[in-house]
């Protein structure tokens, strides 16, 4: 068979990261501009703040602690809101009451890969948090999202009551940090090229095309 395997795009991301939502939109725009490429997008966990308790933290208190006050936080998020609008995302930061610990969200994303609905689940988590201000620490929220994405929600509900894959998720987060990833989103293309940050769609598309053009062709090597 001559069909090449898909070009892998490994996205290291956190559900509570607004730039990751923007990065997802820009990746989607980039992919639409290179429809000839066969790609496999895979999502991997990262935590912007691993110190958050399992039950989360009051959003305003979190922002005050992180940015040193509401005024500073408002300035930062005003820019994010403007950038999001350019990508069709109407961030509703005022609806968010809780900054969540995202480990359970990452477990859901991990489980969703076997159903081939990872990107859909990631999208639903972003929308639930950033557009609707939903509480991602609540199992009921995650179970509903899994059901909407076509997963076995009853199984998800059971798994969330256990520590299934918690160690695996934490290990993946640790590996990401140890590999030098300190901010997200981070796009790893074909395991060779890294784009750090929510790059413009044309930059992502160019990187994808370059990765495709420079892939090793085993058959060509043998014939050479």
């Amino acid at each position: 068979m001559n069909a090449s395997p898909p070009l892998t795009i490994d996205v290291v991301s956190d559900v509570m990261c607004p730039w990751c939502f923007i990065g997802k939109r820009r990746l989607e725009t980039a992919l639409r501009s290179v429809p000839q490429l066969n790609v496999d997008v895979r999502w991997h966990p990262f935590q912007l703040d691993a110190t958050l308790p399992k039950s989360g933290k009051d959003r305003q208190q979190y922002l005050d602690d992180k940015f040193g006050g509401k005024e500073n936080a408002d300035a930062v998020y005003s820019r994010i809101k403007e950038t999001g609008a350019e990508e069709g995302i109407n961030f509703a930061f005022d609806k968010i009451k809780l900054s969540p610990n995202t480990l359970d969200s990452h477990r859901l994303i991990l489980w969703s890969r076997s159903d081939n609905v990872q990107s859909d689940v990631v999208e639903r988590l972003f929308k639930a948090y950033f557009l609707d201000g939903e509480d991602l620490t609540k199992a009921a929220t995650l179970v509903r999202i899994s059901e909407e994405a076509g997963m076995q929600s009853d199984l998800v509900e059971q798994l969330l009551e256990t520590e299934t894959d918690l160690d695996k998720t934490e290990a993946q987060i640790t590996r990401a940090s140890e590999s030098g990833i300190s901010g997200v989103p981070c796009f790893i293309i074909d395991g060779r090229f890294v784009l750090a940050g929510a790059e413009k769609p044309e930059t992502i598309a160019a990187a994808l095309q370059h990765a495709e053009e420079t892939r090793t062709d085993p058959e060509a090597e043998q014939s050479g």
Side-chain angles (χ1 to χ4, degrees):
M1 294 184 61
N2 295 323
S4 300
L7 187 71
T8 58
I9 307 173
D10 292 293
V11 188
V12 183
S13 164
D14 193 8
V15 175
M16 67 175 291
C17 167
W19 286 107
C20 292
F21 196 1
I22 293 170
K24 184 176 186 293
R25 280 289 179 273
R26 290 179 172 176
L27 172 62
E28 290 163 349
T29 300
L31 291 175
R32 285 194 294 271
S33 72
V34 286
Q36 73 278 13
L37 298 185
N38 179 23
V39 303
D40 179 21
V41 180
R42 307 182 298 200
W43 293 84
H44 303 273
F46 191 87
Q47 280 196 292
L48 290 179
D49 190 344
T51 70
L52 285 169
K54 182 174 174 59
S55 58
K57 184 176 183 178
D58 177 79
R59 174 74 170 174
Q60 194 55 58
Q61 186 62 54
Y62 174 79
L63 295 179
D64 287 348
D65 293 344
K66 183 174 182 179
F67 296 105
K70 186 177 187 302
E71 187 176 336
N72 292 338
D74 286 347
V76 170
Y77 280 90
S78 175
R79 176 180 168 236
I80 295 173
K81 194 174 179 67
E82 290 176 5
T83 305
E86 294 171 1
E87 304 299 334
I89 302 171
N90 296 313
F91 283 113
F93 295 121
D94 57 318
K95 290 185 180 180
I96 301 174
K97 304 305 179 187
L98 194 77
S99 291
N101 181 305
T102 53
L103 279 176
D104 280 347
S105 292
H106 287 307
R107 286 202 292 163
L108 177 60
I109 294 168
L110 172 65
W111 299 330
S112 70
R113 179 156 181 80
S114 62
D115 290 320
N116 199 32
V117 291
Q118 251 197 335
S119 290
D120 184 25
V121 166
V122 170
E123 176 75 14
R124 291 176 186 278
L125 287 166
F126 278 142
K127 285 182 173 178
Y129 183 59
F130 286 115
L131 305 188
D132 301 327
E134 292 194 63
D135 184 353
L136 297 186
T137 69
K138 290 190 177 300
T141 304
L142 304 183
V143 171
R144 192 202 74 239
I145 287 172
S146 73
E147 183 176 15
E148 292 171 349
M151 297 175 65
Q152 297 181 52
S153 58
D154 54 344
L155 177 59
V156 169
E157 184 174 15
Q158 293 173 21
L159 290 174
L160 285 171
E161 293 175 354
T162 71
E163 294 189 353
T164 302
D165 289 325
L166 187 60
D167 287 348
K168 181 177 182 179
T169 302
E170 291 176 328
Q172 289 177 339
I173 293 169
T174 298
R175 279 199 301 274
S177 297
E178 291 176 345
S179 70
I181 297 174
S182 57
V184 286
C186 182
F187 304 94
I188 304 167
I189 301 170
D190 198 36
R192 296 180 294 136
F193 303 106
V194 176
L195 291 178
E199 293 284 359
K200 294 287 189 179
E202 54 268 28
T203 302
I204 300 173
L208 291 171
Q209 289 177 311
H210 179 66
E212 179 68 20
E213 291 165 1
T214 58
R215 293 175 81 180
T216 301
D217 185 344
E219 292 186 7
E221 287 185 347
Q222 291 173 5
S223 61

